[in-house]
Amino acid sequence: MVQLCVNGARGGADGAAVPLSPEAIADSVADAVAAGATDVHVHPKTPCGRDTLSPRVLAATLAAVRARVPARVPVGVTTGAWAEPDPAARVARIRSWTVLPDHASVNWHEPGAEETAAALIERGVAVEAGVWSGTDGAARFLDSLLGPKVLRVLAEVTDTDPATARGSARALLTALGPAHGRPVLLHGEDGGAWPVLRLAGRLGLATRTGLEDTLFLPDGGRAASNAELVVAGTREWASARRGDG
């Protein structure tokens, strides 16, 4: 599986390629799915470009995306604490959603992670457990009674140094151990994005790519679109899986 991470917490300062409005997000997702993405992770944005859990914005974003992609492609959203810092308010937002995503990510090191995940599961939304390197997320996830109920684990390598990101990724996977038997999606970000994606290929793990994780192609050139990153990511993953290079 190659998941598309559409935009993340990035905004207008990160360049015109980063889609922010529901229409721009839908256009970008449609092109990336045509290029090979099989799953979508998106951050719905307010008109000023900030991440939000607003039911109105989420409904508009999901409607726009689902109108452009096949029904077989799952579409998920973030529940990151930066979008709603108060855990109780975050749960209330989820309970107020009028249109539901197929899945939503929950960062397990954040305050209120368990309550957030429980609220999603109660509503029939699958949970991606975001476990970040450099946090206590792995230990907290392994101790969680909800661990066996999640859709997958997002092993998120926050080390952006290309020289050390692979080592950080291996350490994170070791810390996760059996991960409650759930599938693991491994990815990095910025300078660590491509080294970690290639490691995912060598290990046969699912991965993701998109403008949330990196603005640059493997050769260092600026990515013009999410679709371009998906093409490059699929190629790099497959090459690493074959053991090329």
Side-chain angles (χ1 to χ4, degrees), residues 3-242:
Q3 183 183 72
L4 168 67
C5 51
V6 181
N7 50 7
R10 300 191 192 274
D14 295 298
V18 178
L20 303 178
S21 70
E23 295 75 18
I25 290 169
D27 288 344
S28 187
V29 170
D31 290 345
V33 167
T38 56
D39 192 284
V40 176
H41 170 76
V42 64
H43 290 212
K45 304 282 187 180
T46 65
C48 61
R50 298 184 64 179
D51 286 6
T52 181
L53 305 184
S54 158
R56 180 181 57 80
V57 175
L58 186 132
T61 302
L62 290 176
V65 171
R66 285 172 170 159
R68 298 291 308 280
V69 301
R72 61 178 168 76
V73 178
V75 182
V77 300
T78 184
T79 64
W82 57 87
E84 179 50 74
D86 179 69
R90 197 179 318 142
V91 168
R93 283 286 204 182
I94 290 167
R95 289 176 174 158
S96 74
W97 287 350
T98 56
V99 177
L100 297 178
D102 296 293
H103 53 71
S105 63
V106 177
N107 298 320
W108 230 261
H109 66 281
E110 293 177 346
E114 295 274 338
E115 294 81 2
T116 299
L120 290 164
I121 292 170
E122 287 169 7
R123 298 218 61 194
V125 178
V127 171
E128 295 183 306
V131 179
W132 294 19
S133 65
T135 73
D136 64 351
R140 293 178 60 181
F141 176 71
L142 293 176
D143 285 342
S144 174
L145 295 177
L146 295 178
K149 299 181 180 181
V150 306
L151 173 67
R152 67 176 69 92
V153 177
L154 303 181
E156 309 198 42
V157 181
T158 59
D159 181 353
T160 59
D161 185 336
T164 58
R166 281 185 294 267
S168 296
R170 290 188 180 277
L172 177 58
L173 293 174
T174 297
L176 277 167
H180 289 294
R182 306 315 300 145
V184 174
L185 184 157
L186 177 66
H187 75 98
E189 59 185 42
D190 294 324
W194 294 113
V196 173
L197 183 146
R198 295 185 191 104
L199 177 62
R202 284 196 289 276
L203 298 176
L205 295 174
T207 193
R208 76 180 201 183
T209 189
L211 292 164
E212 172 173 356
D213 285 353
T214 181
L215 299 173
F216 297 94
L217 296 165
D219 64 6
R222 187 94 177 189
S225 67
N226 275 307
E228 193 173 22
L229 287 169
V230 168
V231 171
T234 303
R235 181 180 64 241
E236 294 290 317
W237 189 97
S239 177
R241 187 65 180 150
R242 292 192 303 268

